[in-house]
């Protein structure tokens, strides 16, 4: 197998402000894996929170690509990844996820089957996705919510964690008034203390918020579980639910876990998490980082297994260099094309490895 890398810059349509940062762009590293004239692709994106810039991703993906050379074909490599024999213990999950995606894309193309069929699903997933509204003024949030609802979005996720929590309340109130029929999710990204969360969550419940992600600072899952036990609305762990062990620790004690392929290690790691949470009362949210359609596609092939899909990262981009999963109407979907089912837009094809 021959591998190659390309780094690109993904610009957002407008800066996204959350409780801990503001982002206007991020870099993506595309991994290509070719075998017998067929090529599969995967994507990893830079993340300040996870301590990975494009250079670090490139080095790690180069190492991972070299490791693929010891396998006779991509099917054998995918089996090794599935059983944990491919990725080294210190390999960042985002790198493993990109390798997983590229191999699934390649194996699917070689078998002329879409990835969801490789994973045992006969029907192509089509699910409603949340659309994120950042920490902006209530007027701007209302305008965004009104436009998104008109475009077909049934679920909106509002970021919280402003210095003054009353701003968060006013933002959600404005969104609720602008989109009265929308399902609302709330995400403070760990900005609140236990006292603040205890005070604020009943107010957000009154505004019809359906669930809240990671209201408390990560690092104390016991506190998060204790809050969930008395919360008037479902609590979904995100930053406190990174690994399989994290999810096992929280299963049955929080209402949901946000599974992001880049933080858990890809599709097969996500399936192990889903199995661990099954029957515990803890449901799945499938989340994402801001990425292109290539980066989002693997999760879309799993999306019908989750209660909540938050797969809008490609919709935040000024220009998505890949296409194939939709979402502009509020629903992401897999195509019937083999592999991941995404293709580069015109102008982005020539430089692909």
């Amino acid at each position: 197998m021959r591998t190659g890398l390309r780094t690109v810059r993904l610009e957002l349509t407008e800066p996204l402000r959350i409780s801990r940062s503001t982002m206007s762009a991020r870099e993506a590293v595309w991994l290509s894996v070719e075998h017998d004239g067929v090529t599969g692709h995967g994507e990893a994106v830079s993340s300040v929170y996870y301590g990975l810039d494009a250079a670090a991703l490139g080095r790690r993906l180069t190492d991972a690509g070299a490791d693929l050379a010891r396998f006779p074909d991509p099917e054998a490599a995918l089996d090794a990844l599935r059983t944990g024999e491919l990725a080294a213990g210190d390999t960042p999950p985002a790198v493993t996820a990109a390798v997983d995606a590229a191999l699934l894309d390649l194996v699917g193309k070689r078998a002329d089957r879409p990835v969801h069929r490789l994973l045992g699903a006969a029907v192509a997933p089509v699910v409603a996705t949340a659309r994120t509204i950042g920490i902006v003024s209530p007027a701007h949030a209302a305008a965004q919510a009104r436009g998104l609802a008109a475009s077909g979005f049934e679920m909106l996720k509002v970021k919280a964690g402003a210095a003054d929590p009353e701003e968060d309340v006013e933002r959600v109130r404005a969104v609720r008034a602008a989109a009265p029929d929308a399902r609302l999710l709330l995400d403070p990204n760990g900005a609140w203390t236990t006292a603040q969360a205890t005070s604020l969550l009943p107010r957000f419940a009154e505004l019809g918020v359906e669930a809240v992600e990671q209201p408390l600072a990560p690092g104390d899952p016991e506190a998060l579980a204790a809050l969930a036990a008395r919360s008037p609305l479902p609590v979904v762990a995100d930053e406190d639910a990174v690994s399989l062990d994290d999810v096992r620790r929280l299963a049955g004690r929080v209402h949901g876990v946000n599974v992001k392929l880049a933080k858990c290690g890809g599709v097969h790691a996500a399936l192990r998490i889903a199995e661990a949470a099954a029957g515990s009362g803890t449901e799945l949210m499938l989340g994402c980082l801001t990425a292109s359609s290539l980066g989002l596609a693997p999760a879309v092939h799993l999306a019908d297994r989750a209660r909540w899909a938050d797969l809008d990262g490609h919709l935040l981009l000024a220009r998505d260099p890949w296409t194939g999963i939709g979402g502009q109407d509020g629903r992401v979907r897999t195509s019937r094309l083999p592999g991941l089912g995404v293709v580069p837009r015109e102008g982005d094809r020539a430089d692909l490895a």
Side-chain angles (χ1 to χ4, degrees):
M1 285 178 281
R2 183 176 66 89
T3 62
L5 301 179
R6 181 187 173 195
T7 300
V8 299
R9 185 173 176 83
L10 303 175
E11 301 280 352
L12 276 66
T13 302
E14 65 175 67
L16 176 64
R17 179 187 167 200
I18 65 174
S19 62
R20 60 175 178 255
S21 63
T22 300
M23 179 180 62
S24 58
R26 77 185 331 151
E27 289 183 297
V29 182
W30 295 341
L31 170 68
S32 300
V33 181
E34 184 270 335
H35 186 74
D36 287 347
V38 183
T39 303
H41 300 282
E43 178 180 272
V45 294
S46 60
S47 170
V48 173
Y49 183 78
Y50 292 112
L52 291 171
D53 59 16
L57 287 172
R59 290 191 299 270
R60 292 299 197 125
L61 285 167
T62 297
D63 292 341
D67 196 26
L68 292 177
R70 62 188 172 94
F71 296 98
D73 52 48
E75 291 78 11
L78 188 61
D79 283 341
L81 188 147
R82 188 181 293 118
T83 59
E85 298 173 18
L86 177 57
D90 64 345
T91 302
V95 170
T96 305
V99 174
D100 193 13
L103 290 174
L104 281 167
D105 192 33
L106 178 53
V107 169
K109 288 173 178 175
R110 282 163 56 84
D112 196 27
R113 300 174 70 188
V115 164
H116 65 268
R117 289 188 60 196
L118 294 181
L119 301 175
V123 179
V126 180
V127 299
T129 178
R131 179 65 157 77
T132 300
I133 295 174
I135 297 178
V136 295
S137 71
H140 189 41
Q144 287 184 310
R146 195 173 296 112
L148 291 168
S151 297
F153 284 86
E154 301 170 2
M155 184 162 48
L156 304 175
K157 182 165 90 167
V158 185
K159 291 291 187 178
D164 181 359
E166 290 302 321
E167 293 181 21
D168 296 333
V169 176
E170 289 306 310
R171 186 179 313 105
V172 172
R173 184 175 287 121
V175 168
R176 171 53 74 208
D181 297 325
R183 298 166 60 192
L184 297 186
L185 305 175
L186 188 69
D187 185 8
N189 288 107
W192 296 336
T193 65
T194 297
Q196 287 175 318
T198 300
S199 173
L200 289 167
L201 289 181
R203 300 176 66 184
F204 288 115
E206 290 176 0
L207 290 170
V209 170
E210 182 174 320
V212 59
E213 288 182 60
Q214 197 68 42
L216 305 182
D220 190 351
E222 294 301 317
L224 188 69
L227 177 68
R230 62 179 186 276
S231 173
L233 51 83
V235 171
V236 178
D238 183 357
E239 288 87 345
D240 269 328
V242 175
S243 68
L244 177 59
D245 286 343
D246 292 337
V247 173
R248 285 172 172 159
R249 189 178 302 114
L250 287 168
R253 306 176 67 204
V254 295
H255 303 91
V257 290
N258 187 338
V259 180
K260 294 175 179 154
L261 303 190
K263 75 174 181 179
C264 75
V267 166
H268 292 97
L271 291 173
R272 287 191 289 272
I273 286 174
E275 183 179 1
S280 70
T282 295
E283 299 188 83
L284 298 184
M285 171 185 285
L286 268 174
C288 65
L289 302 181
T290 304
S292 75
S293 287
L294 173 61
L296 271 289
V300 176
H301 284 271
L302 297 175
D304 56 352
R305 305 174 190 230
R307 174 176 173 180
W308 302 280
D310 179 23
L311 299 175
D312 67 337
H314 62 305
L315 302 176
L316 305 180
L317 300 180
R319 181 181 180 278
D320 184 354
W322 294 77
T323 184
I325 57 172
Q328 293 81 3
D329 61 351
R331 282 174 168 74
V332 289
R333 52 184 61 79
T334 61
S335 71
R336 299 185 184 277
L337 294 174
L340 292 175
V342 295
V343 294
R345 294 186 187 276
E346 292 295 333
D348 294 288
R349 297 179 182 178
D351 294 331
L352 280 173

